[in-house]
């Protein structure tokens, strides 16, 4: 490696990059360093823990009944392939640049500071909304379980009276605060808690699959791909963006229905990329990051396909419940006990989803502050636990308040578009860094470059175009706010901006 390649880039310009070497050196500063304690197994558990959530318990019925029928299993495969394309790109970056920040750090090393800021700002939105939405969903499952025992919270403390006046979801608020404390106390503790909870959650899913097999009827799979039916044209900004642009009215069911369903069930896969945010806290990131990312994605895809095949085999897709398809399918065959088990598994599962989404956001925020794009005050780690406690506490309190006071389910699609946008940036970053830094040691190399990154970009953009136009408008508004903050604060305070701060 030459001295010229290791020299930081020019301080002028919006697309100045931060070299891989410089990013790694920043992780060696004692007061800004994170403790390395995670293994490939820990990373796989994190990935499974964040991906398996409401998607496996809820989306299956909705998609099967409204869009794809028994072919929902194929929709999960399609969505899994899109994620796999992105995962191969993430794996190369995470093993080459083992630094906290995920797509933000990768973009900084390849596409430049402005793009890095945009993707970092995007991830802050993605993880914040994801954590808040999932914590509210967790609260709903817990209240449902309490109702089974004859216990209930006052409406004013369950968030159910928000539309009538005042309401505060005390359970969602408390969950986020407890998980904030867990993250402050250390990654190893977080990993242990996650391992236990994920073990329970996966066990519940396997019980559902195995028990459900005894009630599968072959006749319910016919037709496996129902005949195509015109989908009612969406009105106004709630219609998919590509529909407004082209006038093409998508179909439900049929082969095209499978792809339409894939854009919906993609939400069930959101979160595997969070594994990459823990690269700096991994013992051997060059080896373990690719293993953790790819293994977690493979496990989740297999479980999703199995669950969708079982539920559409137990009950004909036209009769499935949209709200609780798995639980209601067991009730339909005379086994309500399994319904309670599923609700318990969902509540347990959502705990780890919240924990790992919050973990991802704090690491991105920490990386941005260490680079000076956000106040450096937030880049100091705890002297005992070696965790980014300042941003963890700040973000934990803010998200807890949002979850307690706000009903933001309608904003959940922003999580989808944010994730897909990150996929696009990471895939493009692989192409750029292969060209600008071909000599870098890559412990894992994305195969078939440029084909895989190009396919990843195309597939992600296609799913983005299937999202409502109003989602694009909200996403655009958030991006505009982010760009303004960058020019007002981030650009001038960047560590690449002041020559004296360079190393």
């Amino acid at each position: 490696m030459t001295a010229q390649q290791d020299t930081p880039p020019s301080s002028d310009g919006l697309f100045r990059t931060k070299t891989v070497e410089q990013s790694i050196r920043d992780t060696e500063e004692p007061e800004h360093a994170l403790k390395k304690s995670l293994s490939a197994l820990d990373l796989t558990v994190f990935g499974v823990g964040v991906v398996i959530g409401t998607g496996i318990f809820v989306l299956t019925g909705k998609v099967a009944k409204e869009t794809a029928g028994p072919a929902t299993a194929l929709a999960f495969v399609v969505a899994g392939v899109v994620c796999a394309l992105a995962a191969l790109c993430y794996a190369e970056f995470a093993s080459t640049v083992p630094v906290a920040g995920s797509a933000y750090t990768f973009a900084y090393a390849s596409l430049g500071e402005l793009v890095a800021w945009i993707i970092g700002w995007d991830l802050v939105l993605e993880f914040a909304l994801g954590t808040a939405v999932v914590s509210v969903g967790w609260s709903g499952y817990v209240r449902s379980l309490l109702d089974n025992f004859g216990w209930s919270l006052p409406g004013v403390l369950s968030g159910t009276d928000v539309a009538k006046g005042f309401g505060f979801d005390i359970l969602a608020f408390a969950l986020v605060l407890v998980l904030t404390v867990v993250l402050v106390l250390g990654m190893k503790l977080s990993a242990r808690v996650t391992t236990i909870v994920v073990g329970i959650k996966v066990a519940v899913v396997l019980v559902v699959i195995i028990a459900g097999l005894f009630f599968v009827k072959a006749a319910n799979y016919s037709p496996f791909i129902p005949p195509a039916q015109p989908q009612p044209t969406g009105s106004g900004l709630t219609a998919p963006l590509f529909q407004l642009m082209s006038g093409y009215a998508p179909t439900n069911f049929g082969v095209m229905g499978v792809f339409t369903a894939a854009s919906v069930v993609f939400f069930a896969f959101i979160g595997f990329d969070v594994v990459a945010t823990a690269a700096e806290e991994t013992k051997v990131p060059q080896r373990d990051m690719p293993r953790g990312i790819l293994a977690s994605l493979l496990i989740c895809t297999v479980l999703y396909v199995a669950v969708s095949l079982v539920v559409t085999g137990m009950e004909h897709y036209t009769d499935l419940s949209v709200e609780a398809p798995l639980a209601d399918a067991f009730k339909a065959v005379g086994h309500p006990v399994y319904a309670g088990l599923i609700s318990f598994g969902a509540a347990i599962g959502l705990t780890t989803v919240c924990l790992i989404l919050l973990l991802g956001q704090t690491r991105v925020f920490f990386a941005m502050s260490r680079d000076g794009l956000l106040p450096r005050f937030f880049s100091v780690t705890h002297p005992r636990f070696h965790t980014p406690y300042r941003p963890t506490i700040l973000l934990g309190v803010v998200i807890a308040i949002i979850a307690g006071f706000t009903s933001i389910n309608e904003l959940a699609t922003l999580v989808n578009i944010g994730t897909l946008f990150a996929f696009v940036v990471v895939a493009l970053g692989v192409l750029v860094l292969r060209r600008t830094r071909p000599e870098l040691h890559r412990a894992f190399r994305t195969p078939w470059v440029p084909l895989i990154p190009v396919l990843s970009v195309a597939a992600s953009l296609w799913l983005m175009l299937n999202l409502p136009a109003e989602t694009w408008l909200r996403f655009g508004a958030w991006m505009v706010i982010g760009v303004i903050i960058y020019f007002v604060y981030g650009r001038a305070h960047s560590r690449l901006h002041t020559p004296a701060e360079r190393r």
Side-chain angles (χ1 to χ4, degrees):
M1 188 175 298
T2 65
Q4 183 179 5
Q5 289 168 334
D6 191 44
T7 302
S10 169
S11 63
D12 54 358
L14 300 176
F15 300 100
R16 53 197 178 196
T17 58
K18 182 179 181 182
T19 64
V20 173
E21 295 82 5
Q22 190 175 0
S23 294
I24 294 175
R25 281 199 300 270
D26 284 348
T27 69
E28 297 169 355
E29 298 177 345
E31 67 174 357
H32 302 292
L34 298 173
K35 185 177 180 180
K36 297 182 182 295
S37 60
L38 302 179
S39 65
L41 177 60
D42 292 327
L43 296 173
T44 302
V45 169
F46 274 143
V48 174
V50 73
V51 172
I52 297 182
T54 52
I56 200 168
F57 297 106
V58 177
L59 283 180
T60 304
K62 176 179 176 62
V63 170
K65 187 169 186 175
E66 300 177 358
T67 312
T72 297
L74 298 180
F76 276 114
V77 172
V78 171
V81 168
V82 174
C83 291
L85 294 172
L88 291 170
C89 299
Y90 269 89
E92 174 168 326
F93 259 126
S95 63
T96 308
V97 194
V99 177
S102 185
Y104 159 76
T105 300
F106 306 158
Y108 214 159
S110 56
L111 301 175
E113 185 172 278
L114 178 59
V115 178
W117 166 267
I118 290 174
I119 195 63
W121 188 246
D122 161 59
L123 291 175
V124 167
L125 174 72
E126 173 194 341
F127 295 148
L129 288 182
T131 305
V133 169
V134 173
S135 65
V136 172
W138 175 87
S139 174
Y141 276 109
V142 171
R143 291 197 305 271
S144 176
L145 287 172
L146 291 176
D147 289 340
N148 291 339
F149 294 98
W151 302 334
S152 61
L153 291 173
V156 73
L157 292 179
S158 63
T160 55
D161 285 348
V162 173
K164 301 177 183 179
F166 175 80
F168 184 76
D169 194 331
I170 188 68
L171 293 177
F173 176 81
L175 173 67
V176 176
L177 289 186
V178 170
L179 296 181
T180 298
V181 173
V182 172
L183 287 176
V184 169
L185 293 179
M187 277 296 289
K188 198 59 185 177
L189 174 62
S190 304
R192 289 170 180 166
V193 171
T194 302
T195 300
I196 295 171
V197 175
V198 169
I200 296 173
K201 175 167 59 174
V202 172
V204 170
V205 172
L206 291 176
V207 168
V208 169
I209 293 172
I210 295 171
L213 286 174
F214 291 97
F215 305 104
V216 168
K217 297 179 180 179
N220 289 333
Y221 291 130
S222 181
F224 190 74
I225 301 180
Q229 300 174 7
Q231 179 180 335
T233 304
S235 59
L237 296 178
T238 60
L241 182 63
F242 83 91
Q243 181 178 324
L244 295 180
M245 294 171 60
S246 64
Y248 168 72
T251 59
N252 286 334
F253 306 110
V255 175
M256 287 303 298
V258 174
F259 290 100
T260 302
S263 67
V264 178
V265 300
F266 174 80
F267 181 81
F269 286 92
I270 283 177
F272 83 87
D273 55 315
V274 177
V275 175
T277 66
E280 192 174 325
E281 294 158 277
T282 303
K283 295 176 183 177
V284 190
Q286 293 79 4
R287 179 196 67 194
D288 293 341
M289 286 305 302
R291 292 180 180 180
I293 292 173
L294 297 173
S296 60
L297 183 59
L298 176 61
I299 292 171
C300 293
T301 302
V302 171
L303 291 177
Y304 278 167
V305 171
V307 167
S308 60
L309 287 174
V310 166
V311 73
T312 54
M314 291 178 63
E315 193 172 14
H316 196 268
Y317 73 92
T318 57
D319 299 323
L320 284 174
S321 161
V322 173
E323 290 78 16
L326 270 68
D328 290 345
F330 277 102
K331 289 180 181 178
V333 297
H335 288 272
V337 173
Y338 286 107
L341 180 64
I342 291 169
S343 295
F344 173 75
I348 289 293
L350 293 183
T351 304
T352 57
V353 176
C354 288
L355 175 68
I356 301 167
L357 285 175
L358 185 58
L359 162 73
Q361 185 183 45
T362 57
R363 270 46 180 181
V364 172
F365 200 96
F366 170 78
M368 295 174 74
S369 65
R370 188 166 58 187
D371 291 332
L373 299 181
L374 290 172
R376 292 266 291 171
F377 170 82
F378 294 107
S379 67
V380 177
T381 55
H382 194 280
R384 177 181 175 186
F385 304 119
H386 301 288
T387 55
Y389 68 106
R390 290 174 178 174
T392 300
I393 294 173
L394 170 68
L395 295 170
V397 171
V398 170
I399 295 173
I401 294 173
I402 293 174
F405 281 108
T406 311
S407 176
I408 55 176
N409 290 328
E410 69 277 5
L411 298 181
T413 51
L414 277 172
V415 182
N416 281 29
I417 197 170
T419 302
L420 288 165
F421 180 60
F423 285 4
V424 170
V425 170
V426 170
L428 292 176
V430 167
L431 292 175
V432 171
L433 202 62
R434 282 283 188 101
R435 184 178 182 85
T436 58
R437 297 295 305 277
E439 84 293 343
L440 277 177
H441 172 67
R442 292 166 170 83
F444 178 89
R445 297 177 68 89
T446 303
W448 302 317
V449 173
L451 178 61
I452 293 297
V454 169
L455 287 176
S456 180
V457 170
S460 298
L461 287 176
W462 170 246
L463 292 186
M464 289 174 74
L465 290 174
N466 278 274
L467 293 171
E470 62 182 357
T471 299
W472 281 82
L473 290 178
R474 289 169 176 163
F475 181 69
W478 179 257
M479 289 296 102
V480 169
I481 294 173
V483 170
I484 292 173
I485 293 176
Y486 171 74
F487 281 104
V488 171
Y489 180 89
R491 187 184 184 192
H493 291 82
S494 168
R495 299 187 71 190
L496 296 185
H497 182 72
T498 306
E501 291 182 327
R502 297 180 186 168
R503 289 189 299 276

